[in-house]
Amino acid sequence: MSLPEQMKAIVFYGPQDIRTETVKTPQIENVTDVILKVKYSGLCGTDLHTYRGHIKGPVGQIIGHEFMGTIVAKGSAIGDDKFQVGDDVLSTFTVQCGTCWYCVHGYSGQCEKTNTFGKVGLAGGQAEYVRIPYALSSLIKKPETTGDVDDSVYVLMADIFTTGYYGVKKIVDFSKQSPTANIKAQEIGDLTVLQLGLGPVGLCALRALKHFGFKKVVCVDNVPSRIEEAKRLGAYKTINFDTEGDALKEFIKNETQGVGFDAVLEVVGAPQALKTAYDSVRRNGFISSIGMAHDQLPFDGLECYLKNINISFGRCHAWSLFPEALEIFEELKGEFKSFIDYKPRLEDSKEAFDLFDKHKVNKVVFDLT
Amino acid sequence: MSLPEQMKAIVFYGPQDIRTETVKTPQIENVTDVILKVKYSGLCGTDLHTYRGHIKGPVGQIIGHEFMGTIVAKGSAIGDDKFQVGDDVLSTFTVQCGTCWYCVHGYSGQCEKTNTFGKVGLAGGQAEYVRIPYALSSLIKKPETTGDVDDSVYVLMADIFTTGYYGVKKIVDFSKQSPTANIKAQEIGDLTVLQLGLGPVGLCALRALKHFGFKKVVCVDNVPSRIEEAKRLGAYKTINFDTEGDALKEFIKNETQGVGFDAVLEVVGAPQALKTAYDSVRRNGFISSIGMAHDQLPFDGLECYLKNINISFGRCHAWSLFPEALEIFEELKGEFKSFIDYKPRLEDSKEAFDLFDKHKVNKVVFDLT
């Protein structure tokens, strides 16, 4: 199958300056590459970091790390038993070699050769075609489509559902630990969880928490539409921190015997969120932080010691966790249909970024079908 | 049994100023109190914090939180089915109420009413007699003495062995977590552990690590006698950070495939130790910090995120963990005989503190028998 010489793609030029342009179509460069014809490509909250200028973006680069599509070309090392031209596949938001210590041990997010689509050195997937290096450890065949759910939901698997699952898995692991040999771990349904942040990752995480049997999940954000979505997905209580300032303290006092939350899922990364996590978690509780923190931590060593703090940070190991996250996603995907509330064409990139930036839409997925 | 009106005790007056004095013997004050006649009373590394003036001490107060002895009086709420006058008992270094949320849930170190012997408001056990509040949840009957081990070793159970066990238990819990559903957790014997600090708590922790099957425990300190003791207790490798500066980096490079340690047990609390822990743990590894940290943490949020750091802080839940720690201690106590290398009388307090302060002895236990 010969590829067209040129294609459309969304290119980053600077803060508030992204453009849909005609660029060269990618080609197979290495024997483990695959070229995908993109069907759906999402706009992730992290794309806003560069769009808003908070993080330096890759000028002149195609952006986007959430996509799925159809294999149209593959390198000589990709056997037909693995992938065939014509296969519909999902991609992780990162590439990973599949063979280094971290990949082998289940921590693919730390792969020695990892990169993220749309970052420096790896063209992204907000494009008609995208090159996938290390395709054997970056792609997975799309499950058979069933019911009335179209393939656009699988864009959530690339990053946000899997990242949400990663944060939740750590809470599940923590919940299984017995404090002593004679005291059983509390039942999951009895544990209180505070979730800070209801962006797309947060909403996926909330649904995953519910899937695992957590009942008392209190969600905090300040965007009304997100809060509505959290209610739909089963939040036990929602708190708008702009307008319900004391509600969190009241909940801790009245519904946790004053001790605080057993666990906090922190999906923001800002120091204020980490501080709220510290203040709200019970002594000996657990903070699962999947937000990308940048600053000095808002608690010192003595505060951590005195409160017996347990905390886990870091980027999702998307490839390592893909099979188990996908198994859960297959059960839940129908609930995410309404989650994607704006499906523009690639040409509408300016409007799409603008609406997403202003929280006027929850989740944007470019439709290239 | 009537108690003498006066007794000998070691009283803190200020940095480098501790004195053995004659003071009033404690009496039963509450129905849940017990008065112990002390048999052995230890000098803990944390006693040096006040002795050296690093932490403000309780001026005019009897110090000491490691002791065991014989019940000589008890309050009316202590039934004979629990304790009888004449029983030899061990005490935790803390008191705890036994009934608050934290005590009930296995986190007695966070008891709402906890205090530490020898701190403000609770006279310590470097004395002939000591009052034990909340005795039902602060004392445990001494196991039958067997072999040629005298009761002085049980002083280690009050704090240092139990605290070491707490730090180790967290590493054991972490080691059981599978990174993914399809990848089994590594075998304990294959895991590399870096232990920072070989004071008495550290040496107990090392022995507990060995008990659980950890084989590759690398121990770092700068006191030659401690390092010798660590070798005897089964350290895989010891490093004197004063004289073997590059040995840690070399070990990581040569014996961990360059990835770093699976877990770090941090038994110091100083920022340099926490920084070494951060630098030496592998990405996605675990830091169990039982040293009492005081300062700003020597890593920021982004560093934690980029390295997928897992870290747990805090004070030991001595009462909650006492039964399981004691079960292990009973197996190991013979190995700790030589550990206590100085057994002065209460009158020798000045010399005892001085020798301990200068690292001329490993472990001091006052012999009151």
Side-chain angles (χ1 to χ4, degrees), chain B residues 222-265:
Chain B
N222 70 339
V223 179
S225 61
R226 293 175 168 185
I227 287 174
E228 283 313 305
E229 194 68 10
K231 285 178 183 163
R232 187 180 70 81
L233 291 169
Y236 182 71
K237 181 178 175 63
T238 59
I239 296 174
N240 184 324
F241 65 79
D242 277 347
T243 57
E244 300 169 288
D246 289 333
L248 189 52
K249 280 184 191 160
E250 287 297 311
F251 185 92
I252 290 172
K253 187 177 156 196
N254 298 328
E255 300 208 36
T256 76
Q257 299 176 57
V259 300
F261 290 87
D262 295 297
V264 178
L265 182 62

Side-chain angles (χ1 to χ4, degrees), chain B residues 77-92:
Chain B
I78 312 289
D80 280 351
D81 56 324
K82 297 292 184 186
F83 295 116
Q84 301 192 10
V85 169
D87 282 348
D88 277 354
V89 290
L90 316 184
S91 170
T92 51

Side-chain angles (χ1 to χ4, degrees), chain B residues 142-171:
Chain B
K142 186 181 76 66
E144 284 300 309
T145 305
T146 50
D148 61 348
V149 180
D150 77 34
D151 287 346
S152 64
V153 291
Y154 285 114
V155 161
L156 308 187
M157 272 301 301
D159 179 355
I160 64 175
F161 186 83
T162 314
T163 294
Y165 169 77
Y166 176 56
V168 169
K169 176 190 184 296
K170 295 201 242 190
I171 294 179

Side-chain angles (χ1 to χ4, degrees), chain A residues 66-77:
Chain A
E66 299 182 335
F67 53 85
M68 58 81 57
T70 309
I71 294 178
V72 290
K74 59 177 188 158
S76 58

Side-chain angles (χ1 to χ4, degrees), chain A residues 13-150:
Chain A
Y13 282 95
Q16 272 82 38
D17 186 7
I18 53 99
R19 309 174 201 165
T20 304
E21 296 194 327
T22 298
V23 300
K24 234 178 117 181
T25 303
Q27 305 293 324
I28 297 289
E29 294 176 21
N30 298 302
V31 293
T32 55
D33 286 356
V34 152
I35 305 293
L36 279 197
K37 185 169 195 309
V38 176
K39 291 176 77 173
Y40 294 100
S41 186
L43 211 168
C44 180
T46 52
D47 291 328
L48 292 181
H49 293 171
T50 45
Y51 183 75
R52 290 170 178 168
H54 299 160
I55 296 178
K56 212 177 152 187
V59 175
Q61 170 89 288
I62 301 168
I63 52 181
H65 57 257
E66 299 182 335
F67 53 85
M68 58 81 57
T70 309
I71 294 178
V72 290
K74 59 177 188 158
S76 58
I78 312 289
D80 280 351
D81 55 325
K82 296 292 184 188
F83 294 116
Q84 300 192 10
V85 169
D87 282 349
D88 277 354
V89 291
L90 316 184
S91 170
T92 50
F93 71 110
T94 49
V95 292
Q96 41 276 321
C97 72
T99 56
C100 72
W101 191 94
Y102 295 102
C103 283
V104 168
H105 286 81
Y107 306 111
S108 65
Q110 290 285 0
C111 167
E112 301 285 3
K113 295 179 180 170
T114 193
N115 201 349
T116 300
F117 288 100
K119 303 290 177 194
V120 174
L122 185 60
Q126 288 171 13
E128 290 182 285
Y129 297 89
V130 58
R131 182 177 73 91
I132 315 292
Y134 303 116
L136 290 171
S137 47
S138 302
L139 297 178
I140 196 167
K141 277 191 196 172
K142 186 181 77 67
E144 284 301 309
T145 304
T146 50
D148 61 348
V149 180
D150 77 34

Side-chain angles (χ1 to χ4, degrees), chain A residues 110 181 301 306 308 310 312 324, chain B residues 110 181 283 306 308 310 312 324:
Chain A
Q110 290 285 0
L306 292 177
N308 288 77
N310 303 289
S312 177
E324 63 204 80
Chain B
Q110 290 286 1
R283 303 176 221 159
L306 292 177
N308 288 75
N310 302 289
S312 176
E324 62 202 81

